[in-house]
Amino acid sequence: DTGVSQNPRHKITKRGQNVTFRCDPISEHNRLYWYRQTLGQGPEFLTYFQNEAQLEKSRLLSDRFSAERPKGSFSTLEIQRTEQGDSAMYLCASSLKRQDTQYFGPGTRLTVL
Amino acid sequence: DQQVKQNSPSLSVQEGRISILNCDYTNSMFDYFLWYKKYPAEGPTFLISISSIKDKNEDGRFTVFLNKSAKHLSLHIVPSQPGDSAVYFCAATITYSGNTPLVFGKGTRLSVIA
C-alpha cells in the first residue's frame, strides 16, 4: 500500500492527558499537511511541512499543539492537556512540491472524555 | 468568514440520473479547485480537479465545470450509482504563491437511490 497512513485510527483519552498521532506520507511526497475535521464541517487546516521545515501554522493550532517532521519523512502531531473541544478527526495529507493535489490518509478519530 | 461554500447540505438522486453538486467561493485569488469524496470513518478521496485556466475537466462519469466570473463550480456525476453515495467536499487553493493549504466547504451528502 503506497497511500498515506495514519496511526492510531482511533484514540480515546481522558481530559488533561497528552496524545500523539503519527502520519506516514506517500514516500516521494515532500509536503505534508495536517487538518482537523469536526462534525458537519469540512477539514480545517492546522499546519504543513515542506521536508522537515514547518512552513505555516493555523490560528487553530494553539500552544497545546505541536507537530514535527524529523528528517522530512513521517510526522507526529501532539496535543498536550487535551480538552473535550479537541475531539475531532485529525487528517494528514501529502503532496509533491509544485503538485497541487493533496492525498489524504484515513484519519485518526480522537475522543476526549 | 467562509471562503468556500456548499449551500446544499444534502442531495438525493435516483440511480442512473445526473447528480449536480454546487460550490461557490469568495476569494478571487483561488486558482485551483478540487473535489473530494468521503465515506464515514475514512479520509477524503481525491476525485477530480480543475485549474482556473480551464472551464471544464472530465474524468469518466465525473465532470467539473468552473465559472470564474460567477465564482462558482459544479461537479456532475453521470450516471449516478449507489456507490456514489458519500459526502462530497469542494476545496480551493492558491497555487501561484507555492502550495497553500486547501480551503474546504462544509460538504454535500449525496444519496443515490436504487
Side-chain angles (χ1 to χ4, degrees), chain A residues 6-86:
Chain A
Q6 293 186 245
N7 288 288
R9 293 291 307 275
H10 304 275
K11 179 71 177 178
I12 300 174
T13 191
K14 292 183 179 178
R15 190 176 53 186
Q17 298 293 305
N18 299 343
V19 294
T20 300
F21 310 141
R22 175 177 170 131
C23 171
D24 288 89
I26 295 170
S27 60
E28 65 270 25
H29 284 188
N30 46 19
R31 292 203 176 210
L32 186 149
Y33 303 78
W34 284 99
Y35 293 82
R36 182 175 73 183
Q37 185 178 16
T38 53
L39 196 63
Q41 302 293 320
E44 296 172 291
F45 167 71
L46 292 177
T47 187
Y48 90 93
F49 294 83
Q50 179 169 303
N51 300 313
E52 65 275 11
Q54 189 172 15
L55 296 187
E56 189 173 340
K57 296 183 196 179
S58 157
R59 59 179 173 75
L60 292 176
L61 211 69
S62 76
D63 55 6
R64 296 184 297 105
F65 288 69
S66 62
E68 293 183 342
R69 193 183 181 196
K71 303 179 183 177
S73 56
F74 70 91
S75 175
T76 58
L77 177 68
E78 181 183 15
I79 309 174
Q80 296 183 324
R81 305 181 304 280
T82 52
E83 301 172 356
Q84 287 185 325
D86 298 330

Side-chain angles (χ1 to χ4, degrees), chain B residues 70-105:
Chain B
K71 295 192 179 70
H72 177 82
L73 64 155
S74 61
L75 174 68
H76 292 210
I77 306 173
V78 184
S80 301
Q81 299 174 353
D84 296 330
S85 297
V87 178
Y88 289 78
F89 290 98
C90 171
T93 186
I94 302 166
T95 62
Y96 56 81
S97 60
N99 282 38
T100 58
L102 297 175
V103 179
F104 283 85

